[in-house]
Amino acid sequence: MAVAAARAVMLGAAAPLAPEEVDLAESVGRVLAEDILAIRPQPPFDASSMDGWAVRSADHAGARRIVGESAAGRGFDGEVRPGEAVRIFTGAPMPSGADAVVIQEDARRDGDLVSMSAPPPGAFVRPAGQDFPAQARLLESGVRLDPWRLALAAAAGRAHLKVSRRPGLAIISTGDELASPGAAPSARQIFDSAGPAIAALAALWGAAPVARLRAQDNVEAITRAAAGAGGDLLITIGGASVGDHDLVKPALGDLGLRMMVESIAIRPGKPTWFGALADGRLVLGLPGNPASAMVCAELFLRPLLLALQGADATPRPAWARLAAPLKANGDREHWMRARLSYGDLGDTIAHPFGDQDSSLVTVFAEADALLRRPAHAPAAATGEAVEVLRLDRV
Ligand code: AMP
Ligand code: MG
């Protein structure tokens, strides 16, 4: 199946999970399941943007009589009449009658009087609602919260937010050759690098870990691990292909696996598959080669997790210019690991790594982006524009 078609099948199966309430402080990384509306304008009143003097702009230049003070959180209850001034501070409400502020550096105080030139109307005044008016739709359902959006929800006075439940994620790394990092590997084993990487990526994309399991290459072990793993989504790593030791699909057949995507026309990651178990859990089968697993996580797991949280799941590629020529591509969409740099004219330059072998963790550790070569793309020259998907490097 083509990459876009496979993703469409996955997203079609990923209905948003039920919403729950979280505290504002816990909301970063969560996806809003409600619109956030302003209950009042911000600022709620005309406010001074500087320390100075609140005056009537229609008054002539010269001395004004000081009649009071307006500080942030307090204000001045009287009225500023012609020839009068009120001492005012940043964030304080404008007293009625006054329509401009003269900053303190531009005024000279002498006892009960303060002298200044006439300011233009509205000088150094933040009008009520300058940031947002009452009833404004500040944040929309489906938006993922970050510290900047959190500031807006806080400015709207919200202590609790309705967000989508995090998708519970179970991960099973399969393979007799795998040793967990920290364990003592035999001479013929390698460390499980794909499992921890996929778990970490999923956490960035809002998943809640429910199980992190390992299974040997035998059907019973894989079935047992999968049966008790729980969560909304199961990821298997390895054993996805059609070799004698690729047993994940047969093992999940015992749990009523319904296949929806058998394999994908992508490089790396062709054995990637997708389906659902009889109990409703979705399953994404990733190949074990770390680069294959991480490319397919970016292209399929990220959208799946976002869709389960009710967020926009469409990958947003950008464009970059090739730093080196590329050969014509074959019949699978190729997602190459690349570094990005930035040219004098503000253009982005993509430097594909020379060795694109799907087992390489060193290359991924240095990559900034995935570079897309469509199926059957002709050879591309240096400087040609290519699509790139930036990695969320922390
Ligand atoms: P598989 O997808 O099981 O056929 O494995 C493909 C290749 O990836 C083999 O060289 C495996 O040893 C390697 N591999 C499988 N799982 C992992 C893993 N979790 N971490 C690192 N390498 C792996
Ligand atoms: Mg294997």
Side-chain angles (χ1 to χ4, degrees):
M1 202 179 279
V3 169
R7 185 161 47 231
V9 169
M10 295 180 199
L11 297 185
L17 299 168
E20 62 185 13
E21 284 240 315
V22 290
D23 288 352
L24 178 70
E26 308 296 317
S27 67
V28 167
R30 306 299 296 269
V31 176
L32 272 177
E34 61 168 334
D35 293 342
I36 304 291
L37 300 178
I39 51 172
R40 60 210 285 258
Q42 172 63 22
F45 41 78
D46 293 348
S48 177
S49 66
M50 295 294 274
D51 293 336
W53 301 91
V55 296
R56 303 171 73 105
S57 62
D59 284 358
H60 298 298
R64 287 147 173 73
R65 202 163 61 81
I66 301 168
V67 295
E69 178 181 298
S70 178
R74 289 205 287 277
F76 173 75
D77 290 329
E79 165 143 11
V80 177
R81 296 194 189 77
E84 293 180 348
V86 158
R87 179 77 171 119
I88 195 164
F89 300 95
T90 305
M94 288 296 288
S96 71
D99 68 336
V101 169
V102 173
I103 63 173
Q104 60 195 23
E105 295 86 334
D106 292 346
R108 219 180 51 252
R109 179 173 187 162
D110 183 11
D112 287 346
L113 298 177
V114 57
S115 303
M116 61 191 74
S117 45
F124 300 108
V125 176
R126 296 187 178 126
Q130 179 185 2
D131 202 354
F132 51 80
Q135 299 308 320
R137 193 177 309 277
L138 299 176
L139 294 167
E140 289 194 15
S141 181
V143 154
R144 204 157 176 231
L145 290 158
D146 56 27
W148 302 276
R149 291 174 177 146
L150 177 148
L152 192 47
R158 295 294 300 268
H160 309 283
L161 304 172
K162 203 195 234 187
V163 298
S164 296
R165 185 165 67 73
R166 286 180 185 280
L169 179 68
I171 302 176
I172 308 177
S173 297
T174 71
D176 292 345
E177 77 280 32
L178 298 182
S180 294
S186 75
R188 295 189 173 164
Q189 284 189 306
I190 60 168
F191 288 117
D192 174 2
S193 57
I198 298 307
L201 285 168
L204 285 182
W205 300 328
V210 298
R212 203 35 214 98
L213 305 165
R214 285 267 321 281
Q216 301 295 112
D217 284 319
N218 80 66
V219 170
E220 295 72 41
I222 298 168
T223 310
R224 199 171 340 107
D232 305 292
L233 175 64
L234 172 65
I235 295 184
T236 61
I237 301 175
S241 198
V242 289
D244 290 349
H245 302 284
D246 293 323
L247 302 172
V248 172
K249 288 180 206 168
L252 297 188
D254 290 353
L255 302 177
L257 174 63
R258 181 167 55 87
M259 275 303 236
M260 292 184 243
V261 177
E262 301 254 6
S263 104
I264 304 178
I266 186 172
R267 182 151 59 109
K270 178 177 158 201
T272 299
W273 59 270
F274 177 76
L277 299 178
D279 63 11
R281 280 181 289 159
L282 302 176
V283 192
L284 178 64
L286 295 175
N289 266 318
S292 310
M294 290 190 272
V295 164
C296 290
E298 197 68 42
L299 295 178
F300 306 111
L301 175 59
R302 183 176 196 275
L304 258 175
L305 290 172
L306 291 176
L308 285 169
Q309 296 170 88
D312 179 7
T314 324
R316 303 237 171 268
W319 291 87
R321 298 196 174 282
L322 277 175
L326 290 174
K327 290 198 216 112
N329 189 27
D331 58 1
R332 285 189 275 155
E333 190 167 307
H334 191 183
W335 285 86
M336 307 177 78
R337 276 67 70 209
R339 233 173 15 79
L340 299 180
S341 66
Y342 300 91
D344 299 345
L345 300 171
D347 50 344
T348 306
I349 300 159
H351 308 253
F353 287 92
D355 191 346
Q356 294 283 333
D357 188 275
S358 60
S359 68
L360 302 179
V361 284
T362 46
V363 166
F364 234 116
E366 286 187 21
D368 301 305
L370 301 176
L371 185 167
R372 176 172 179 261
R373 297 281 287 148
H376 306 294
T382 300
E384 226 170 272
V386 285
E387 262 182 81
V388 292
L389 200 55
R390 271 169 224 272
L391 301 173
D392 286 338
R393 300 222 62 138
V394 177

